[in-house]
Amino acid sequence: MDDDGMSLVEGPIFQICWVVDDIESAERYFAEQLAVARWLRLPDVHFGPDHCTYRGQPADYVVHVSLGYTGGQQLELIEPVSGRNLYTEQLEAGGPGVHHVAWVPEDFEATLAEAARRGLPVVQRGRSRASGWSSPISRAARSAATWS
């Protein structure tokens, strides 16, 4: 919450994401432990420098993505394949684990502006035409948040 007592995000959690080093093993683990019945695998999702930044610079990287549900909660698994990004950072710093919790803001750009006003910089931002998706473009931004 900020000084006004207002939360940056509202509504239910849309997604919980884990960064993994082996997406097939992670899919099996989550299927067994959290009863994820099916995974939608999106291999080799490319985020290119024309539509992606990482720590303020153009980025070019590839990830494997799997999406599944347990109950009504969407789970996402991301395995970095090539290039530098927040996912490779996490694996190098602490190994596989929870990476982010996501909400879908009513106004994406206004929420990013408010995050910046609160001192939460966007450290990675990108758009991709994911392989196998008929939807137009996947858009995401990751802000750095720390707690003390």
Side-chain angles (χ1 to χ4, degrees):
M1 287 207 236
D2 74 356
D3 297 336
D4 304 358
M6 299 293 294
S7 175
L8 182 60
V9 293
E10 295 177 354
I13 293 171
F14 168 71
Q15 175 188 84
I16 303 171
C17 174
W18 283 261
V19 172
V20 300
D21 53 12
D22 179 340
I23 206 157
E24 288 183 33
S25 294
E27 286 173 343
R28 283 192 303 275
Y29 175 82
F30 281 88
E32 293 167 5
Q33 300 300 319
L34 296 177
V36 176
R38 291 184 320 196
W39 290 98
L40 170 63
R41 172 90 60 88
L42 303 168
D44 299 316
V45 178
H46 179 238
F47 289 87
D50 292 342
H51 300 290
C52 185
T53 60
Y54 166 64
R55 300 211 174 272
Q57 300 298 314
D60 193 4
Y61 63 90
V62 174
V63 295
H64 296 322
V65 177
S66 282
L67 300 170
Y69 286 85
T70 184
Q73 182 63 66
Q74 184 182 86
L75 305 180
E76 179 181 38
L77 305 175
I78 296 177
E79 177 187 346
V81 176
S82 65
R84 291 288 302 159
N85 52 66
L86 287 179
Y87 316 117
T88 58
E89 263 188 33
Q90 176 170 330
L91 288 178
E92 291 167 1
V98 173
H99 182 266
H100 65 263
V101 175
W103 288 262
V104 178
E106 198 169 304
D107 184 332
F108 189 79
E109 295 302 326
T111 302
L112 289 179
E114 178 60 19
R117 186 188 74 75
R118 294 182 187 194
L120 299 170
V122 172
V123 291
Q124 182 167 291
R125 184 174 184 161
R127 293 184 298 154
S128 173
R129 290 192 181 274
S131 59
W133 283 11
S134 59
S135 64
I137 292 180
S138 172
R139 176 173 71 162
R142 309 283 185 244
S143 289
T146 57
W147 292 268
S148 51

